[in-house]
Amino acid sequence: MGTLTIAPFSSLVGSKSMDFALKLAKAAADKGHKVNIWLTSNGVMIVKSNQKHLKDYSHAEKYVKELLDKGVEICVCEACALARGIQKSEAIEGIKWDAMHWYLAKIYNSDRVLHIGGE
Amino acid sequence: MSMIDLAFIIQRPPYKSESSTLGLTHAISYQVVDMFLDEGQGVVPKVCFIGEGVLNCLSGQKAMEHYGVTSIEAHIKNALLVDLDIFVCKEDLERFSIGEDRLVDAEDMGADKKLQVVPLSQIQSIINNCKHLFVF
């Protein structure tokens, strides 16, 4: 089995890139691959807990919790999150908070790395 | 136990999006990556500016004055200070009529490294030889 690291750069609402990234992560984890997710730029928006699932908008909290339960490591760029007004206290439990070197270290041990979305 | 090469290709123009800054800050973070790795392991980022991305390399940026944020020029200087290899596509500089004398230089800060203006073929070689490629 391989190790896949995914860095989604888009926010949840306004594009389907984040939705795609989370489902890809789930598919890889279901097949037994080790999966890491690095949330940076507008991708950090999905860490907020208490997301309301409205039918017209994508919804990430349920998928994020499922991925964490499957052993997927998810880490958010602390600076990117704080700059957007997101505090640790309001984040989904189990998500790590760190800096960009966490991502580079995961890259070191990855077979494949994917950047998804972003401008 | 080894080092791996990472290529960071920056092709977006400055300040239109967060991309250029993200490419640089991710590359600069290589300095402390060993906190998460074993002895002897590490990454060697190479930053390449191509296409409209070469516009990031112009000196005299006033981002703090106009936007209240650290300029991309300052990030490039920091990258040179931490000894990153930064390559700028010669053909794209010519396309925009940008002379090398207009590029960022961190000599005043004591950096040993300079921006390296190279032909696209050399950047293609960096892309071909890296373990992972990141496009910003």
Side-chain angles (χ1 to χ4, degrees), chain A residues 9 38 40-42 80 84 98-115 118-119, chain B residues 1-2 4 6 8 12 16-19 22 25-26 29-30 32-33 35-37 41-43 131-132 134 136:
Chain A
F9 282 68
W38 168 242
T40 187
S41 188
N42 289 332
C80 295
R84 287 164 175 80
D98 217 306
M100 293 172 178
H101 57 295
W102 180 93
Y103 176 49
L104 292 194
K106 291 299 176 190
I107 288 168
Y108 183 91
N109 291 306
S110 295
D111 298 296
R112 293 288 184 272
V113 183
L114 294 174
H115 277 196
E119 286 183 68
Chain B
M1 300 280 251
S2 62
I4 61 166
L6 307 177
F8 291 77
R12 302 296 165 94
K16 186 178 179 184
S17 71
E18 201 183 0
S19 289
L22 285 172
T25 49
H26 276 86
S29 72
Y30 93 101
V32 286
V33 71
M35 287 170 59
F36 289 113
L37 295 175
Q41 295 179 330
V43 298
K131 182 172 182 197
H132 295 296
F134 307 97
F136 287 90

Side-chain angles (χ1 to χ4, degrees), chain B residues 102-116:
Chain B
R102 293 175 62 195
L103 300 183
V104 174
D105 191 311
E107 198 175 355
D108 57 320
M109 296 167 72
D112 295 325
K113 294 272 185 179
K114 286 180 175 294
L115 293 184
Q116 300 170 57

Side-chain angles (χ1 to χ4, degrees), chain B:
Chain B
M1 300 280 251
S2 62
M3 308 293 279
I4 61 166
D5 284 344
L6 307 177
F8 291 77
I9 308 299
I10 298 178
Q11 60 173 3
R12 302 296 165 94
Y15 308 111
K16 186 178 179 184
S17 71
E18 201 183 0
S19 289
S20 312
T21 302
L22 285 172
L24 284 162
T25 49
H26 276 86
I28 290 169
S29 72
Y30 93 101
Q31 272 190 295
V32 286
V33 71
D34 55 352
M35 287 170 59
F36 289 113
L37 295 175
D38 293 332
E39 185 76 28
Q41 295 179 330
V43 298
V44 182
K46 292 178 178 168
V47 180
C48 305
F49 289 94
I50 63 167
E52 291 183 329
V54 301
L55 299 172
N56 289 284
C57 301
L58 284 168
S59 63
Q61 296 175 28
K62 294 185 168 47
M64 187 58 77
E65 187 179 323
H66 294 295
Y67 302 125
V69 298
T70 306
S71 70
I72 293 166
E73 178 175 6
H75 286 299
I76 291 174
K77 287 186 171 192
N78 287 337
L80 290 169
L81 272 174
V82 297
D83 293 329
L84 276 184
D85 280 317
I86 305 180
F87 303 89
V88 188
C89 179
K90 182 174 181 291
E91 289 89 336
D92 287 322
L93 282 178
E94 287 170 359
R95 194 158 63 89
F96 288 106
S97 298
I98 299 171
E100 290 188 36
D101 58 324
R102 293 175 62 195
L103 300 183
V104 174
D105 191 311
E107 198 175 355
D108 57 320
M109 296 167 72
D112 295 325
K113 294 272 185 179
K114 286 180 175 294
L115 293 184
Q116 300 170 57
V117 177
V118 298
L120 181 62
S121 58
Q122 190 170 332
I123 291 174
Q124 287 170 327
S125 174
I126 291 167
I127 291 171
N128 288 336
N129 293 317
C130 69
K131 182 172 182 197
H132 295 296
L133 169 68
F134 307 97
V135 180
F136 287 90

Side-chain angles (χ1 to χ4, degrees), chain A residues 3 6 14 17 24 35 49 55 65-66 69-70 72 78 82 84 86 88 94 104 107 112 115 117:
Chain A
T3 299
I6 302 174
S17 293
L24 178 66
V35 181
S49 58
K55 280 196 282 186
K65 286 179 174 172
E66 280 178 11
D69 286 345
K70 287 176 186 293
V72 172
E78 184 164 359
L82 294 177
R84 287 164 175 80
I86 301 170
K88 277 185 191 177
L104 292 194
I107 288 168
R112 293 288 184 272
H115 277 196

Side-chain angles (χ1 to χ4, degrees), chain A residues 26-53:
Chain A
K26 181 178 181 299
D30 285 345
K31 281 186 175 288
H33 297 296
K34 166 73 181 155
V35 181
N36 307 302
I37 297 178
W38 168 242
L39 298 170
T40 187
S41 188
N42 289 332
V44 303
M45 301 303 290
I46 69 161
V47 307
K48 286 189 89 163
S49 58
N50 299 314
Q51 295 171 26
K52 189 170 176 67
H53 189 189

